[in-house]
Amino acid sequence: MFTIGSRTVKTAIGAMIALSIAQLIGFENASTAAVITLLSVQSTQRKSILIAWRRLLACLIGMGLAILIFEGCAYTPVAVGLLLFIYVPLMAKFGLQDGIVPGFVIVMQLYMSYAITEALLINQLCIVLIGILVALLFNLYMPSVEGELKKITQELDGNYEIIFLQFSRFIRKKERVWNDEYIIRTKRLLEKGIDLARRSEENSFFKRESSYLSYFTKRKQQFQFVERMVPLIIQLPTAFEQNEMIADLVEEFAANLKDVNQMQEKLQALRLRFEGMELPKTREEFETRAALLILMNKIEQFIEIEPSVA
C-alpha cells in the first residue's frame, strides 16, 4: 500500500518554501536552499539541530578551503580534487560527515563562478541558512507517538499474562507442544516500543529520559528471564505435588503482574513451604523439584524488575 509519511510531507513543503524564499529575495543558486532543506529534515528534533549545526560548519569550512585553493591556485579540476583530499578527511576527523554533500555543493558553485567575491560568499551563506532554518522550523512539529506507546504497553502486559498462563498449563502437564507465538510477538513489540520511546525522547529538549524508555528497557530485561524459563518448563521430567503448587502461583502471577509486593510475599511463603516438605524419594522427583526451584528463582528475578510508566 502506498503511504506518505509526515517526514515526506514536511520535506516537500519545506523544500518548496526554502526555494520560494531564496528566489523571492533574489539569491543566486536559489535551488540549493531546497536541497539543503531536503537533506536537513530529520526524524527527531534533537537530531535535526545536530545535523543543522554540522552542515553549517561543513559549509563554512568548505567555503574557507575554496577561497584558499581556488583563489590561491587555480579554478581547475585538479584544484577540486586537491580540495576533496583535504575536505573529506577533515570532515570525518571533526564528525561533520553529514555536511560533506551540502558543503561540496556550495564549493562547486563557488568553483563555477571562477571568481569568489564577498557578495558571492554572503549569497552562499544566506542560501545555507535559509535551507537549514526552514528545515529546523518544520522539525518543530513531530507527530506524537504517545497513543502508540500506550497501545504497545497494554499489548505487552497482555502477552506476558498469556505467556505465564501457558507456563502454568505446562507445569501441570496439561499441554505437551509449546507454542512460541507470544514469545515472538513480545520480542517484536519490545523492539518496536524501545525504538518509539527513543524517538519520543529525542523530540524532548528538557526531559532526558522518557518513562516509556525505562519501562520498555525493564520489560526487555524481564523478557530475558522469560526466555530462560521456557526450556525449564517444557523439559520438566514429570508432575508431582509441587507442580500444582508452582502452577497455582504462576497462574495467580499472570493475573497480578503489577502487584509486585503481593507476589513476592506469596513466592517467599511457597519457598518456605518447599523447605518444610519431605525430601524427594526418587531421582525423577528430585530432578523435577530442582527444576521447579530454579524456576522460582527466575520468577523472583523477574518480579524484582519493576517496570512502570509515570
Side-chain angles (χ1 to χ4, degrees):
M1 183 179 176
F2 181 75
T3 58
I4 298 177
S6 62
R7 184 176 174 182
T8 302
V9 173
K10 289 191 296 183
T11 301
I13 298 175
M16 178 184 68
I17 291 175
L19 177 60
S20 300
I21 292 172
Q23 285 183 333
L24 188 64
I25 297 174
F27 289 124
E28 293 181 20
N29 305 314
S31 60
T32 305
V35 173
I36 291 175
T37 297
L38 182 147
L39 293 171
S40 299
V41 172
Q42 299 296 316
S43 56
T44 68
Q45 291 175 353
R46 286 187 195 171
K47 189 176 180 181
S48 67
I49 290 175
L50 286 173
I51 293 291
W53 175 244
R54 289 169 186 165
R55 291 207 166 122
L56 178 59
L57 283 178
C59 288
L60 289 172
I61 293 170
M63 289 164 69
L65 286 173
I67 294 170
L68 289 173
I69 294 174
F70 297 154
E71 289 292 314
C73 299
Y75 287 83
T76 64
V78 174
V80 173
L82 175 62
L83 184 144
L84 284 174
F85 270 117
I86 301 170
Y87 184 60
V88 174
L90 199 61
M91 295 300 96
K93 180 177 177 60
F94 291 109
L96 302 175
Q97 295 94 324
D98 295 317
I100 290 176
V101 173
F104 187 62
V105 169
I106 296 296
V107 166
M108 289 308 296
Q109 288 172 355
L110 294 175
Y111 170 79
M112 294 303 295
S113 72
Y114 293 103
I116 299 175
T117 63
E118 184 179 341
L120 180 59
L121 290 172
I122 292 172
N123 181 91
Q124 297 300 92
L125 181 58
C126 288
I127 285 173
V128 171
L129 288 172
I130 288 171
I132 288 174
L133 290 173
V134 169
L136 285 175
L137 182 64
F138 274 81
N139 273 330
L140 289 176
Y141 167 74
M142 290 290 173
S144 175
V145 294
E146 181 81 14
E148 195 168 356
L149 286 169
K150 283 183 179 178
K151 183 180 177 183
I152 293 174
T153 59
Q154 291 168 359
E155 195 170 343
L156 268 178
D157 290 343
N159 280 7
Y160 276 115
E161 182 177 346
I162 291 170
I163 289 169
F164 278 101
L165 286 174
Q166 193 176 8
F167 281 172
S168 70
R169 291 195 295 270
F170 264 79
I171 294 169
R172 297 183 202 277
K173 295 297 179 182
K174 290 188 176 180
E175 288 189 24
R176 295 290 177 182
V177 180
W178 176 260
N179 183 352
D180 61 356
E181 176 187 355
Y182 283 93
I183 294 287
I184 295 170
R185 281 190 192 181
T186 301
K187 189 173 184 178
R188 288 175 181 167
L189 277 174
L190 285 167
E191 290 171 356
K192 184 178 179 182
I194 288 172
D195 180 59
L196 278 177
R198 281 180 178 153
R199 278 171 49 194
S200 177
E201 182 184 327
E202 285 291 314
N203 285 325
S204 171
F205 294 107
F206 306 106
K207 195 174 182 180
R208 295 302 300 170
E209 183 176 340
S210 72
S211 57
Y212 280 107
L213 184 57
S214 174
Y215 169 85
F216 288 119
T217 301
K218 289 181 178 179
R219 277 296 192 208
K220 187 175 182 179
Q221 291 171 354
Q222 287 182 324
F223 183 71
Q224 293 170 350
F225 288 112
V226 168
E227 287 184 308
R228 293 170 196 165
M229 292 179 205
V230 173
L232 281 172
I233 289 170
I234 62 178
Q235 294 174 18
L236 281 173
T238 187
F240 290 93
E241 177 188 1
Q242 291 81 9
N243 290 61
E244 290 297 321
M245 294 162 63
I246 294 288
D248 288 340
L249 178 75
V250 171
E251 193 171 326
E252 187 175 354
F253 181 47
N256 298 279
L257 283 170
K258 295 181 180 179
D259 196 343
V260 175
N261 292 333
Q262 180 185 347
M263 294 314 303
Q264 283 180 331
E265 289 174 5
K266 289 183 178 291
L267 191 63
Q268 292 304 320
L270 185 58
R271 194 185 294 279
L272 289 172
R273 237 180 117 184
F274 264 44
E275 291 174 359
M277 298 178 77
E278 293 182 3
L279 293 174
K281 295 183 175 60
T282 64
R283 179 186 178 85
E284 195 172 39
E285 185 180 356
F286 172 79
E287 289 176 350
T288 300
R289 199 181 296 188
L292 290 173
L293 285 171
I294 295 171
L295 178 60
M296 286 174 68
N297 290 334
K298 300 298 179 190
I299 293 173
E300 187 172 27
Q301 290 171 316
F302 180 98
I303 292 172
E304 285 173 353
I305 302 168
E306 299 183 41
S308 62
V309 179

